[in-house]
Amino acid sequence: MTADPETDASTLISALTAKARAAAHPGTPTAPCACAGTPLADRPDATVVRHADTVAKAHAPDTDPTALALRVTTAARLPDVLLPPLTSAPVPLHDRLVTFWPYGVPVDPDDPDAAPWESAATLLARLHRAPVPAGLSPMRGPAKAARALDRLRAALRATPPADAREAARPVLAAWAALPAWARAAAPMPGPAAVCHGDLHLGQLVRHPAPDGPWKLIDVDDLGAGVPAWDLARPAAWYACGLLPPDEWTRFLAAYRRAGGPAVPPDGDPWPALDVPARALSVQTAALAITRALAAGRPLDEVEQAVVDACARMPVVPPRQPSGFPD
């Protein structure tokens, strides 16, 4: 008999909610309470629920327990940068590992003018300057990009419309032109830094809630690697015309003021950012096409802009940094 995915998801959320409640009320885990509780996310790679001021996260089923434990320990050691965990070790739940965190207030998606670009850049600089813990796994950014391309190829094999194949052609070509390390096909070059691995504004919260300092969240992709990767998403958005120049300038200037090592302290940052920005653009475009195919719809304006950016990338890697933005 095949398990019902919806039933499995409901069972996991119920069990995870009980874990969150027990963590929020360690003395009386089963006593009635009027605390607010709600699911925050339910995806194949993460299920997250909140009870009062406690958040419980069930990580992906294939999560390596040793690697996750070291990532959680790293967060505990950098409480001024990363949201510190409530407990030091993941606990098993069904086929998942669960970690516990304090609740923080996320960035308001309806107020883009209040996006904390300077705070994000400063936190990244501090993270990149931290000593790399012994045994820390490689940052998972390139591996996530490679998975996005695998998903696109799988979608294309399902005989999509011809226009989808045409949209995917420059994305696949741009991916093939990247160096092997950016495609997770070779080790990343050094020197390594502690990297977040998946930086975007959804990875920031204020803690203590509601108006404490900004902290980075989500340690699933944390690891040792190329620090420029953490600047690549805003760099790619800027290059694609999706991030205004003044916001990009604020972000880059704040990172430099904080002594971030990913780019030189002054001058042209693009020799360091070019490859990661290309990789993040390709990843974003691949996911956009895959989602559009699944929904049976055309690309929207933003998605098309990222695909167009891939089409502008040379199919042969330049010998010298090309200055990705036109």
Side-chain angles (χ1 to χ4, degrees), residues 34-287:
C35 299
T38 183
L40 300 179
D42 184 18
R43 307 185 307 270
D45 64 335
T47 300
V48 185
V49 301
R50 174 191 176 191
H51 185 87
D53 290 330
T54 296
V55 173
K57 178 175 183 177
H59 299 260
D62 61 350
T63 298
D64 179 85
T66 301
L68 178 60
L70 186 49
R71 292 183 179 112
V72 172
T73 300
T74 302
R77 291 174 177 170
L78 298 171
D80 293 336
V81 178
L82 296 160
L83 186 71
L86 294 175
T87 56
S88 59
V91 299
L93 179 67
H94 299 311
D95 63 342
R96 313 288 279 271
L97 291 170
V98 176
T99 54
F100 300 94
W101 308 85
Y103 176 73
V105 177
V107 174
D108 184 354
D110 296 324
D111 188 10
D113 291 338
W117 287 113
E118 291 94 335
S119 295
T122 301
L123 290 170
L124 284 180
R126 292 174 182 168
L127 181 67
H128 296 163
R129 290 166 51 198
V132 179
L136 187 65
S137 300
M139 175 264 294
R140 295 175 65 212
K144 289 191 73 170
R147 285 201 300 274
L149 269 292
D150 288 342
R151 288 176 59 188
L152 174 61
R153 294 187 188 100
L156 293 173
R157 285 195 294 269
T159 317
D163 56 347
R165 293 182 178 277
E166 187 63 27
R169 185 171 290 110
V171 177
L172 296 172
W175 177 253
L178 290 169
W181 73 263
R183 294 181 281 110
M188 283 176 274
V194 181
C195 301
H196 182 274
D198 188 29
L199 189 280
H200 53 80
L201 291 178
Q203 305 286 30
L204 289 150
V205 298
R206 286 192 180 275
H207 177 73
D211 55 5
W214 291 104
K215 303 289 178 67
L216 293 171
I217 63 170
D218 188 358
V219 299
D220 283 312
D221 302 307
L222 187 80
V226 177
W229 194 277
D230 284 343
L231 281 67
R233 185 170 273 111
W237 288 351
Y238 164 63
C240 296
L242 301 176
L243 183 67
D246 63 323
E247 295 188 15
W248 165 249
T249 299
R250 284 163 41 204
F251 175 83
L252 181 62
Y255 183 83
R256 283 172 154 166
R257 283 196 303 271
V263 295
D266 51 35
D268 184 5
W270 284 97
L273 296 175
D274 184 69
V275 166
R278 290 174 187 268
L280 262 293
S281 295
V282 174
Q283 176 184 336
T284 303
L287 292 174

